[in-house]
Amino acid sequence: METLSQLFSQCQQWLFETAVQPLLFHLGLASIIEDAYDGTMWLLVGLVQIVIMVAIFGALERWRPVEAVRDRQQVFVDVVYTLVHRLGLFRILLFFTVEPLWDSVFGALHTWGLATFQLDQVWPGVTDGPWASLLLYLLVFDLVDYCYHRAQHRYSWLWALHSLHHSQRQMTLWSDNRNHLLDDMLRDVVIVLVSQLIGVPPAQFVAVVAITQLTESLSHANLRAGFGRLGARLVVGPRFHRQHHSIAYDASSPGPAGGYNFAALFPVWDMLFGTARFDGDYGPTGIHDQLPQGGGRDYGRGFWAQQWLGLRRMFARAEPRRSDRAPAS
């Protein structure tokens, strides 16, 4: 791990000095040079991920696709979402919105003498090793993601945003980042809060994010493949997660009826909380209300249309029902 870390640091330094730093000086933004160096790290992580996705996951999709791609325009929109998130554009948005708030909040907490809990020190000599601590952080953040994902399907206003993700009826390796930006910002607030509370080192946090994102890209892939009876219970794969995107939803629910297979990395959380299903196949994906018999709801075909319609759905869910409003005088 140390050798990989050194190689990554050298690549980050080269990319920053060759491209990012000259651009900042040209634009008169030298004041944010330290933050830009961290941003270069996320840019490099994203580039590595995209290379893996195209070279490996793309080859797997061509090898054993679940279905022929019929709507390439929607796949292209998913590519846009992926580039926005993986190449750091979304993190630039967070830098100017959420991060200043977090810096002030945690700065005040440290000033008051409130120390961060160090999760990797719960078992000195065991959990503080690089691989053991990485696995520990992956488990913790996957549990956090599991809980947040359950909330997205439980609360109607969150489902109004998250339903954009489920509206893709042609799932591919690019579909993971097809999310409403507000939904992603809310999730990021939760993830940053947890990372600060348990004292995750920056390098480990980057590794957790990269591993999680790559696994989610694979689990969304248009790939007819499983990990076997045992492997399917250890790591989330395309078959396990495709069941979560099944179009067989209950029209009376704000999200899928009950819901299942919520975990991003480890099915153990679904198994522990009774939401795991391993009996499904590679059926059609989407949301019931996209179908003519479900009302034929429009979730938008372009990036901005999808974002706008998501906000409209959220505010519509937040309005009181007609029967709850006070009668007119």
Side-chain angles (χ1 to χ4, degrees):
M1 177 177 284
E2 184 176 351
T3 302
L4 289 175
S5 178
Q6 291 174 348
L7 177 61
F8 183 87
S9 297
Q10 292 172 0
C11 292
Q12 178 185 354
Q13 185 73 28
W14 176 84
L15 181 61
F16 178 75
E17 293 178 351
T18 304
V20 178
Q21 184 173 256
L23 179 62
L24 290 177
F25 283 127
H26 178 73
L27 297 175
L29 298 174
S31 60
I32 62 170
I33 200 165
E34 292 184 7
D35 295 306
Y37 185 75
D38 292 337
T40 306
M41 171 187 64
W42 289 108
L43 172 61
L44 184 58
V45 168
L47 289 171
V48 171
Q49 288 187 75
I50 290 173
V51 169
I52 294 174
M53 291 166 63
V54 172
I56 300 178
F57 299 170
L60 290 173
E61 283 193 331
R62 292 188 295 273
W63 171 53
R64 293 195 66 185
V66 173
E67 58 185 344
V69 176
R70 303 179 302 275
D71 193 343
R72 295 191 179 278
Q73 190 268 342
Q74 283 302 288
V75 175
F76 175 76
V77 173
D78 287 357
V79 173
V80 173
Y81 278 105
T82 302
L83 296 179
V84 166
H85 284 80
R86 304 293 172 95
L87 297 185
L89 297 179
F90 180 68
R91 293 198 171 274
I92 292 175
L93 173 63
L94 295 178
F95 175 76
F96 289 104
T97 55
V98 178
E99 288 191 15
L101 173 62
W102 281 127
D103 290 341
S104 61
V105 169
F106 288 110
L109 292 177
H110 292 154
T111 301
W112 297 338
L114 298 177
T116 300
F117 172 70
Q118 301 297 318
L119 181 63
D120 61 357
Q121 296 299 316
V122 295
W123 191 354
V126 177
T127 56
D128 53 358
W131 292 107
S133 59
L134 176 60
L135 178 59
L136 181 62
Y137 292 135
L138 286 171
L139 284 166
V140 169
F141 281 109
D142 196 43
L143 175 59
V144 173
D145 264 329
Y146 174 87
C147 294
Y148 186 79
H149 199 176
R150 289 288 299 270
Q152 288 174 312
H153 286 255
R154 170 64 181 83
Y155 300 104
S156 60
W157 67 276
L158 270 177
W159 171 251
L161 299 175
H162 183 59
S163 56
L164 167 60
H165 179 69
H166 282 262
S167 68
Q168 176 56 282
R169 301 186 64 186
Q170 287 270 264
M171 282 177 59
T172 68
L173 64 92
W174 304 102
S175 299
D176 172 47
N177 289 121
R178 181 192 180 96
N179 300 310
H180 199 281
L181 295 180
L182 178 57
D183 193 14
D184 279 331
M185 290 184 69
L186 294 173
R187 177 189 172 275
D188 191 78
V189 166
V190 175
I191 294 299
V192 170
L193 176 61
V194 172
S195 68
Q196 291 286 340
L197 292 177
I198 65 177
V200 183
Q204 291 281 45
F205 183 72
V206 173
V208 167
V209 171
I211 291 172
T212 301
Q213 288 180 334
L214 277 176
T215 303
E216 290 180 315
S217 294
L218 178 60
S219 67
H220 286 83
N222 179 25
L223 175 61
R224 187 179 295 274
F227 297 149
R229 182 177 178 82
L230 176 60
R233 287 160 174 77
L234 295 177
V235 180
V236 172
R239 180 174 181 177
F240 182 86
H241 193 67
R242 191 176 180 90
Q243 289 179 261
H244 175 73
H245 281 262
S246 169
I247 203 168
Y249 295 137
D250 179 1
S252 65
S253 171
Y260 46 86
N261 297 8
F262 292 98
L265 291 178
F266 305 115
V268 63
W269 303 122
D270 284 294
M271 296 163 67
L272 284 175
F273 295 108
T275 56
R277 286 188 60 178
F278 298 95
D279 57 346
D281 207 342
Y282 301 92
T285 61
I287 311 175
H288 70 276
D289 63 7
Q290 291 176 286
L291 302 176
Q293 59 268 34
R297 180 189 287 272
D298 177 23
Y299 284 85
R301 293 189 56 80
F303 181 93
W304 294 114
Q306 291 168 357
Q307 296 297 307
W308 169 243
L309 289 171
L311 291 176
R312 288 185 59 181
R313 289 192 302 272
M314 184 185 70
F315 287 118
R317 295 293 178 93
E319 291 179 356
R321 297 177 181 177
R322 187 178 302 275
S323 58
D324 295 334
R325 296 172 182 165
S329 58

